[in-house]
Amino acid sequence: MLHRNFLRNFALLAVVLVLTAACTAALQDVAAPESAPAQTLLLPTPTPAPVADLLPTPTPVPTPVPTPVPAPALTAGELAALKVELAPVAENLSQPLFVTHAGDGSGRLFIVEKTGTIRMMQDGALLPAPFLDISSQVSGGSEQGLLGLAFPPDFAATGYFFVNYTDTQGATQVARFQTSAEDPNRADPDSEFTVLTLSQPARNHNGGMLAFGPDGMLYIGTGDGGGANDTFGNGQNPATLLGKMLRLDVTSAPEQPYVVPPDNPWVDVDWNGVDVRDEIWAVGLRNPWRYSFDRASGDLWVADVGQNQWEEVNFAPATAAGGLNYGWPIMESNHCFQAAGCDRTGLTLPIAEYQHVGHCSVTGGYVYRGQVQPGWQGVYFYGDYCSGTLWALAPDGSGGWANAEIARTGLTLSSFGEDEAGELYVTDLSGGGVYRLEADTP
């Protein structure tokens, strides 16, 4: 009997040792920079997760892996030759800041106005009545307003779509609406269903972008809470959803606000012994105003607005499982922030950057996948909000990236957009216009 008990206890001890080693290896994969532990140990107790986390989790749908698409190898000189011109599409809009499509085969174009309305273009014409008007619910100061719009893959079947706005109290609201049963060109303003509410300590750095990834999950980029220099200490704080990229399942259980995907990176893993909110896919962001997925490859491009010296563009391949740390406020772009040196261990650094010399704020764009401009295939377009400058970015074939300025538009470049066919657009916040990118041919 003693011999059998000894063998059973020894077997149990061996299992514990194996599990401990596995957990330790997983922690090493997402370890925070060595400079962060002292700050992390002082973090407050994580905010309780929403009720949705406590509800039964639906059976997860396997995550599809996009087929890799070979990227073009281009030099900076070749990119610089991709001169573009802007073809007017719509005008006299009220502070337009985003353009997108519904992915339902209708070819409709949806234009988000900062003041709280979504306008719609059909067959090349701007419809007089808005698709959605929630202007009475939206705050419009500083960087606030109706900031984002995303249509899920099942929109054609459900009529559901999602918006990101700041309410009259300044809080971020991510909400679901549904199209009217009587008119597919109108949304029902009374159908609002709250997905997520985030209190904002300041009126800037609200993020605002929403995008569905190739995995069907909703990615929500949040700013660090505003002020300057990460005043509120959110960038590297795993207990808050501010200064992060969130990844939520908002379609499999429509009666719930959201479900945390079981494969989110920190569901079963801590960060330096401290719990990380399960909704988080990446940390260390300052204000990821615009980001996008390459519709062909599934790669994620995140443009993060800098403090006062550097603007940056980040790249995550479709194979990335999350758990990334983009570095803010340890870094501003590729440079130690307010320090002569810093520990960059474990940080995901940008692939492109530019200084605040005639510029002020990066506006992320899209990888071109349309058919009209075959020479643009696989090229990422982005720009600057203040100067209206456009750049093109692509792999250089040697493991690096080629980057070139291609146009100076003079627009207040609030956003890029993509239609159902993959053609690209830009919005002019102060000028009230929407333009399509076309080749500037002699």
Side-chain angles (χ1 to χ4, degrees), residues 266-342:
W266 282 296
V267 168
D268 298 315
V269 177
D270 288 341
W271 183 19
N272 285 351
V274 177
D275 185 48
V276 182
R277 291 286 298 268
D278 291 345
E279 298 92 336
I280 296 173
W281 189 83
V283 304
L285 291 166
R286 183 177 179 274
N287 193 30
W289 168 241
R290 290 291 179 252
Y291 49 90
S292 65
F293 289 92
D294 182 339
R295 63 165 60 188
S297 70
D299 300 332
L300 174 61
W301 297 75
V302 181
D304 195 17
V305 179
Q307 178 60 50
N308 54 21
Q309 293 190 48
W310 296 95
E311 301 298 308
E312 66 182 71
V313 176
N314 299 278
F315 173 83
T319 53
L324 307 178
N325 186 345
Y326 287 111
W328 174 254
I330 300 168
M331 309 282 293
E332 181 182 13
S333 188
N334 286 302
H335 310 271
C336 295
F337 182 64
Q338 295 185 337
C342 58

Side-chain angles (χ1 to χ4, degrees), residues 60-87:
V61 177
T63 300
V65 179
T67 302
V69 175
L74 299 171
T75 66
E78 290 171 325
L79 287 175
L82 302 180
K83 298 300 183 181
V84 303
E85 65 178 6
L86 304 181

Side-chain angles (χ1 to χ4, degrees), residues 125-180:
L126 183 68
L127 301 189
F131 175 68
L132 177 68
D133 185 351
I134 56 170
S135 53
S136 63
Q137 303 169 221
V138 173
S139 56
S142 186
E143 298 172 14
Q144 300 172 327
L146 177 55
L147 306 176
L149 167 66
F151 292 87
D154 61 355
F155 169 73
T158 66
Y160 290 142
F161 63 95
F162 297 80
V163 301
N164 188 332
Y165 69 93
T166 52
D167 64 23
T168 54
Q169 303 303 310
T172 287
Q173 299 287 348
V174 177
R176 186 186 74 205
F177 286 85
Q178 191 170 26
T179 53
S180 168

Side-chain angles (χ1 to χ4, degrees), residues 195-290:
V195 173
L196 181 69
T197 299
L198 296 174
S199 297
Q200 293 286 358
R203 300 172 70 188
N204 59 336
H205 302 183
N206 297 301
M209 184 69 182
L210 300 175
F212 281 92
D215 53 7
M217 301 296 113
L218 180 63
Y219 288 72
I220 306 171
T222 67
D224 65 6
N229 308 320
D230 197 17
T231 301
F232 305 101
N234 291 323
Q236 297 291 314
N237 183 347
T240 177
L241 299 184
L242 296 177
K244 311 297 189 297
M245 182 65 75
L246 314 181
R247 178 177 180 262
L248 306 179
D249 177 359
V250 295
T251 59
S252 66
E255 73 281 1
Q256 301 181 26
Y258 64 84
V259 174
V260 172
D263 58 347
N264 268 10
W266 282 296
V267 168
D268 298 315
V269 177
D270 288 341
W271 183 19
N272 285 351
V274 177
D275 185 48
V276 182
R277 291 286 298 268
D278 291 345
E279 298 92 336
I280 296 173
W281 189 83
V283 304
L285 291 166
R286 183 177 179 274
N287 193 30
W289 168 241
R290 290 291 179 252

Side-chain angles (χ1 to χ4, degrees), residues 367-423:
V367 173
Y368 181 81
R369 295 297 180 185
Q371 301 300 316
V372 178
Q373 310 295 341
W376 295 3
Q377 281 294 321
V379 175
Y380 176 75
F381 293 86
Y382 69 103
D384 184 80
Y385 170 77
C386 291
S387 67
T389 301
L390 301 183
W391 288 273
L393 179 62
D396 63 5
S398 302
W401 299 87
N403 188 43
E405 178 182 315
I406 57 172
R408 296 187 179 186
T409 68
L411 304 181
T412 308
L413 190 63
S414 50
S415 188
F416 286 75
E418 186 181 41
D419 68 17
E420 203 159 357
E423 300 305 316

